[in-house]
Amino acid sequence: MSETTEQKPRKKLVAGNWKMNGSFDSNEALILGFLAEVDDQVDVSVFCPFPYLTQVAKLLEDQGVAYGAQDVSAKASGAYTGEVSVSMLNEFGVTQVLVGHSERRQYHAESSVAVAEKAVVAMAGGITPIVCVGETLAERQAGLVEAVIASQLDPVIERCSKFVGNGAWNLVIAYEPVWAIGTGVTASPEQAQEVHAMIRARLNAMLGSEVAQSTRILYGGSVKPGNASEIFAKVDIDGGLIGGAALSSDEFSGIIRAARG
Ligand code: PEP
């Protein structure tokens, strides 16, 4: 597609990261509480802890909501205690997976190369990786936002570029400034848009305009029903990755409504 071809608008995606929260009872109440808000105008997905995949799959059967895991191994099988492979996720009907969440980078020392390797195996297995990137407050204050995002993103783009052109490219990027995650402090819509535009420009430079224009870039970091509309209104923000507010069906519903516009 040339630069001048009209692009289809990107459909907004609201993705709920449950982190290490949930129980059979609370999962059911949460899902049943937001399903009424789901329609075909906004894509919605939830990322539950591994043990709940069967329950979540059953609750979401034919409901138009995708579900996924919060991590995946870059290895196919073998002696990797505690790891879960792409083929295992495939068996649970998983279509999306979070990769490189800042909590994985921070508490499990995941490097950007390790994150990129996970993204590649997910994509190769037909699962959409939602790759999380974002700077710490110290990095922002030191003027390093662009350098940090590039160092996190470039290994992913380089390794996944082989899927462009064969129909298998399905990357979603989540910009999540570390200082905004779970803190109640959100990036201003302008701060977020600035980084999203930079990410899209990077995709454009490395993979061309068709990929850049079709790839969804989510914002994550203390998104709530009260601030979601303003954030989602920005031209390069294609929805949100939601943590705390994804654990309340009322709040998650409010964010889905905001994404619908
Ligand atoms: C997250 O963990 O991905 C996240 C964005 O969390 P919160 O919405 O709670 O800031």
mmCIF file with all atom_site columns, all heavy atoms in Angstrom, residues 64 73 151 211 257:
data_model
loop_
_atom_site.group_PDB
_atom_site.id
_atom_site.type_symbol
_atom_site.label_atom_id
_atom_site.label_alt_id
_atom_site.label_comp_id
_atom_site.label_asym_id
_atom_site.label_entity_id
_atom_site.label_seq_id
_atom_site.pdbx_PDB_ins_code
_atom_site.Cartn_x
_atom_site.Cartn_y
_atom_site.Cartn_z
_atom_site.occupancy
_atom_site.B_iso_or_equiv
_atom_site.pdbx_formal_charge
_atom_site.auth_seq_id
_atom_site.auth_comp_id
_atom_site.auth_asym_id
_atom_site.auth_atom_id
_atom_site.pdbx_PDB_model_num
ATOM 1  N N   . GLY A 1 64  ? -17.611 -12.860 22.018 1.00 0.00 ? 64  GLY A N   1
ATOM 2  C CA  . GLY A 1 64  ? -16.907 -11.799 21.287 1.00 0.00 ? 64  GLY A CA  1
ATOM 3  C C   . GLY A 1 64  ? -15.831 -11.120 22.108 1.00 0.00 ? 64  GLY A C   1
ATOM 4  O O   . GLY A 1 64  ? -15.467 -9.979  21.831 1.00 0.00 ? 64  GLY A O   1
ATOM 5  N N   . SER A 1 73  ? 6.483   -18.701 27.236 1.00 0.00 ? 73  SER A N   1
ATOM 6  C CA  . SER A 1 73  ? 7.900   -19.058 27.086 1.00 0.00 ? 73  SER A CA  1
ATOM 7  C C   . SER A 1 73  ? 8.334   -18.899 25.631 1.00 0.00 ? 73  SER A C   1
ATOM 8  O O   . SER A 1 73  ? 7.542   -19.096 24.711 1.00 0.00 ? 73  SER A O   1
ATOM 9  C CB  . SER A 1 73  ? 8.110   -20.515 27.504 1.00 0.00 ? 73  SER A CB  1
ATOM 10 O OG  . SER A 1 73  ? 9.444   -20.895 27.248 1.00 0.00 ? 73  SER A OG  1
ATOM 11 N N   . SER A 1 151 ? 15.075  1.017   22.431 1.00 0.00 ? 151 SER A N   1
ATOM 12 C CA  . SER A 1 151 ? 15.872  -0.156  22.828 1.00 0.00 ? 151 SER A CA  1
ATOM 13 C C   . SER A 1 151 ? 14.967  -1.335  23.173 1.00 0.00 ? 151 SER A C   1
ATOM 14 O O   . SER A 1 151 ? 15.356  -2.489  23.027 1.00 0.00 ? 151 SER A O   1
ATOM 15 C CB  . SER A 1 151 ? 16.788  0.185   24.006 1.00 0.00 ? 151 SER A CB  1
ATOM 16 O OG  . SER A 1 151 ? 16.018  0.313   25.183 1.00 0.00 ? 151 SER A OG  1
ATOM 17 N N   . VAL A 1 211 ? 2.229   -1.199  7.647  1.00 0.00 ? 211 VAL A N   1
ATOM 18 C CA  . VAL A 1 211 ? 2.365   -1.808  8.976  1.00 0.00 ? 211 VAL A CA  1
ATOM 19 C C   . VAL A 1 211 ? 2.167   -0.745  10.051 1.00 0.00 ? 211 VAL A C   1
ATOM 20 O O   . VAL A 1 211 ? 1.441   -0.946  11.031 1.00 0.00 ? 211 VAL A O   1
ATOM 21 C CB  . VAL A 1 211 ? 3.754   -2.481  9.136  1.00 0.00 ? 211 VAL A CB  1
ATOM 22 C CG1 . VAL A 1 211 ? 3.977   -2.913  10.574 1.00 0.00 ? 211 VAL A CG1 1
ATOM 23 C CG2 . VAL A 1 211 ? 3.868   -3.662  8.194  1.00 0.00 ? 211 VAL A CG2 1
ATOM 24 N N   . ARG A 1 257 ? -16.912 1.680   27.332 1.00 0.00 ? 257 ARG A N   1
ATOM 25 C CA  . ARG A 1 257 ? -17.824 2.739   26.823 1.00 0.00 ? 257 ARG A CA  1
ATOM 26 C C   . ARG A 1 257 ? -17.006 3.913   26.290 1.00 0.00 ? 257 ARG A C   1
ATOM 27 O O   . ARG A 1 257 ? -17.306 4.462   25.234 1.00 0.00 ? 257 ARG A O   1
ATOM 28 C CB  . ARG A 1 257 ? -18.744 3.243   27.930 1.00 0.00 ? 257 ARG A CB  1
ATOM 29 C CG  . ARG A 1 257 ? -20.059 2.531   28.013 1.00 0.00 ? 257 ARG A CG  1
ATOM 30 C CD  . ARG A 1 257 ? -21.081 3.306   28.856 1.00 0.00 ? 257 ARG A CD  1
ATOM 31 N NE  . ARG A 1 257 ? -20.664 3.493   30.246 1.00 0.00 ? 257 ARG A NE  1
ATOM 32 C CZ  . ARG A 1 257 ? -20.763 2.553   31.178 1.00 0.00 ? 257 ARG A CZ  1
ATOM 33 N NH1 . ARG A 1 257 ? -21.261 1.367   30.894 1.00 0.00 ? 257 ARG A NH1 1
ATOM 34 N NH2 . ARG A 1 257 ? -20.368 2.779   32.425 1.00 0.00 ? 257 ARG A NH2 1
#
